[in-house]
Amino acid sequence: MSSVRQQIVDAVDARLKTIKIQNGYDSDLGNSVFRWPTNFIAHDKTTALIYRDLDAEVFDAAHNKSDHRLNFVAEIMARLGTITDSEIRKMLNDVSRALGVDHTLGGLAITLKITAHSINDMEQTEKIIGAGTINFTVHYRTNQFEI
């Protein structure tokens, strides 16, 4: 059986992939979701959503349980000139809305909270790209010594 952490990562992946206009969002960002990619934007992609699970704080809970606060970052990468900054903001909102559909991720988590969001420009391999970032934390509980 997968760890609870892995199940949460899989649930986040599935949730982000629902970001499609046909599902009521403002973008089809869900068509380009990548977990821990080696290359941020493929040459045939105008936009991409890259997310990573990062560090987790662990706290003792009652009755041989542990509480975990798992931090994530989700980055929207878009080639400037093909997309505007206001469209990046719409995509940020799409990501936030998608994560808020079920803040327990199907009962795996106690809660999911957005902790920060930003928008900026950056350069990747001689191409200027726009980036939007959302940080979020998933609070969940396991048996002690399980992840």
Side-chain angles (χ1 to χ4, degrees), residues 4-67:
V4 176
R5 180 176 177 147
Q6 183 62 55
Q7 292 174 57
I8 286 171
V9 170
D10 292 343
V12 166
D13 187 76
R15 174 60 48 207
L16 294 174
K17 287 179 177 173
T18 67
I19 301 172
K20 297 182 182 176
I21 292 169
Q22 70 188 29
N23 293 334
Y25 294 97
D26 291 321
S27 71
D28 281 324
L29 196 55
N31 291 332
S32 300
V33 174
F34 302 96
R35 180 186 329 171
W36 285 98
T38 57
N39 190 358
F40 285 140
I41 298 180
H43 295 291
D44 62 338
K45 299 289 183 191
T46 302
T47 59
L49 175 58
I50 297 105
Y51 74 96
R52 295 181 297 283
D53 56 316
L54 304 171
D55 60 313
E57 295 177 84
V58 181
F59 305 91
D60 286 337
H63 308 293
N64 295 321
K65 301 284 184 184
S66 294
D67 279 0

Side-chain angles (χ1 to χ4, degrees), residues 8-19 25 33 49-51 72-76 91-106 109 111-117 133-138:
I8 286 171
V9 170
D10 292 343
V12 166
D13 187 76
R15 174 60 48 207
L16 294 174
K17 287 179 177 173
T18 67
I19 301 172
Y25 294 97
V33 174
L49 175 58
I50 297 105
Y51 74 96
F72 283 82
V73 62
E75 297 174 303
I76 298 164
M91 290 179 202
L92 281 171
N93 191 56
D94 282 349
V95 172
S96 183
R97 287 177 49 218
L99 293 171
V101 166
D102 174 11
H103 70 272
T104 69
L105 298 170
T111 192
L112 181 153
K113 294 190 184 232
I114 304 292
T115 57
H117 53 85
T133 303
I134 290 189
N135 298 83
F136 58 99
T137 300
V138 177

Side-chain angles (χ1 to χ4, degrees), residues 71-89:
N71 296 307
F72 283 82
V73 62
E75 297 174 303
I76 298 164
M77 307 299 233
R79 289 196 178 102
L80 292 181
T82 60
I83 198 159
T84 66
D85 60 321
S86 70
E87 289 173 302
I88 292 173
R89 285 185 195 90

